[in-house]
Amino acid sequence: MLDSPTRENVPAGQPFSFDPLTRRASIEARDPGFYQDPYPVFEAIRSETSHFYWEEYGLWCFLGAADLQALFRDKRFGREILHVATREELGIPEIPERLKPFTDIDALSMLDREPPAHTRLRGLVNRAFVSRQVEKLRPRIAALAHDLIDRFAGDGEVELIEAFATPIPVTVIAELLGVPVERAPDLLDWSHKMVAMYQFDRTRAVEDAAVAAAQEFVAFLKEIVAERRLAPADDLLSTLIAAEEAGERLSEDELIATCILLLNAGHEATVHAIGNGVKAILESGLEPSAMFGAEKAAEAVAEECLRFDPPLHFFSRYVLEDLDYAGLPLKKGDRVGLLLGAANRDPARFAEPARFDPFRPPATHFAFGGGIHFCVGAPLARLELEVALPILFERLPGLRIARPPLYRDSYHFHGLAALNLAW
């Protein structure tokens, strides 16, 4: 590791080195010393610079709230690149045939599209996630939270991720979309295997598992789509099947890709948001009953949970043209990394950012990204937190952490492997 004044701010054993002269850092994202608590590393780097070159990822990364706000909205950056350049021009290798069952679906996701395709796809989905539509789900979320707590309230202990944090979002998104809730174990398994493709330094085994999961997921959804074509129901899937935008229907592949994105994103991030949020509340030293006592308190607590320890930490964008940003000469086809978790701890925007404080003045955080790719499901995720967290703490007074919680081996998607609680 390189000697650097930044090392003084980082706990011993962190897999990290940084050269302030070149602004190049080596951070081993798969090392537990990092992914269990990545924030000290980024604060150490922030003390020297607002952006750095992450050697292992091979791209420039930005830490600050102002930079992320600008980069999310800068149209010279985008989520896809092959609409403005060829693979040959950029030196991007062809995708191996063995990965195409995964990548062909992934490439059709609106998360990885730019206008006009992104505009068309998001417009079709957005109407189901506007706040007035989502608000109708409040009673269902509350009833589900109470039902889940009923199952373990008498036990005096629980592993919260499996028993509470996971069933709420997966049930709600399955019901909203219109897929059988009893298939939740399959949905979770497919989602975990597909999301693993985005982690750093993935293995061949991870790739093979993701491809198999994608194929099984597609086959499952094609059966459901065929059923809905014959017998439409009051659900989002039926709406998407029937929808037209500017005279153009979704292709079936786009429909399947959109459903996979909504099912995966609709629960994966919210599971982590609930788990991370409960952990943050319990470790804060604040009294939960005081936290949730005031009007609009649940909304403020949910926002602070999302800011303090968000479920998504990394979002990349392609450079769409040769340009200069923040003194960096960037070439078409380069990628930049936007570090959402680090920006949420930016002291230029948040006073005492490493302190959990639900009473802090409102300020824009980046848990849901920004720009045209701002999370379409943000109103639903917020509602699930606002409803579920107060119910949990009201039903289980004296809630405490029973064993030290550990995060999963996944830097991008920052969430707990388990959260063992007692009361």
Side-chain angles (χ1 to χ4, degrees), residues 234-246:
D234 183 18
D235 54 42
L236 180 56
L237 184 54
S238 298
T239 301
L240 291 175
I241 290 170
E244 286 186 313
E245 183 75 5

Side-chain angles (χ1 to χ4, degrees), residues 2 65 107 175 220 290:
L2 301 179
E175 291 178 347
F220 164 72

Side-chain angles (χ1 to χ4, degrees), residues 70-230:
L71 287 164
F72 269 123
R73 288 163 173 75
D74 194 324
K75 294 182 179 179
R76 299 174 300 169
F77 298 82
R79 285 290 291 173
E80 60 180 333
I81 188 63
L82 296 181
H83 63 309
V84 297
T86 65
R87 288 181 178 276
E88 184 179 25
E89 177 186 348
L90 300 175
I92 300 175
E94 291 290 335
I95 296 170
E97 283 295 324
R98 64 183 178 82
L99 295 181
K100 286 193 174 180
F102 175 89
T103 58
D104 286 351
I105 287 294
D106 195 51
L108 293 176
S109 165
M110 64 178 161
L111 185 63
D112 290 318
R113 307 290 292 278
E114 289 296 303
H118 174 271
T119 309
R120 174 173 57 86
L121 294 170
R122 186 172 178 117
L124 293 170
V125 172
N126 196 55
R127 64 195 73 170
F129 289 95
V130 294
S131 296
R132 64 179 178 275
Q133 288 296 111
V134 166
E135 181 63 27
K136 297 175 183 177
L137 298 172
R138 183 180 292 271
R140 174 62 179 134
I141 296 168
L144 184 58
H146 280 294
D147 178 61
L148 291 167
I149 294 171
D150 287 342
R151 301 179 192 184
F152 57 76
D155 297 338
E157 60 182 12
V158 69
E159 195 291 287
L160 198 76
I161 303 303
E162 182 177 353
F164 187 78
T166 298
I168 291 176
V170 73
T171 300
V172 171
I173 194 63
E175 291 178 347
L176 181 65
L177 194 57
V179 302
V181 176
E182 58 268 23
R183 296 296 298 272
D186 291 323
L187 300 177
L188 291 168
D189 182 58
W190 294 329
S191 177
H192 293 330
K193 288 174 178 174
M194 293 180 73
V195 166
M197 280 288 278
Y198 307 118
Q199 71 186 26
F200 176 73
D201 196 26
R202 69 191 189 215
T203 64
R204 173 65 183 264
V206 165
E207 293 177 344
D208 291 345
V211 167
Q215 291 172 317
E216 293 169 15
F217 212 158
V218 168
F220 164 72
L221 286 171
K222 283 189 173 182
E223 287 183 10
I224 303 295
V225 168
E227 293 172 5
R228 287 296 185 279
R229 290 193 192 282
L230 294 174

Side-chain angles (χ1 to χ4, degrees), residues 291-312:
M291 218 181 277
F292 291 108
E295 184 180 359
K296 299 290 185 182
E299 291 92 329
V301 173
E303 291 304 306
E304 180 66 351
C305 289
L306 290 163
R307 179 205 70 83
F308 182 78
D309 199 18
L312 180 64

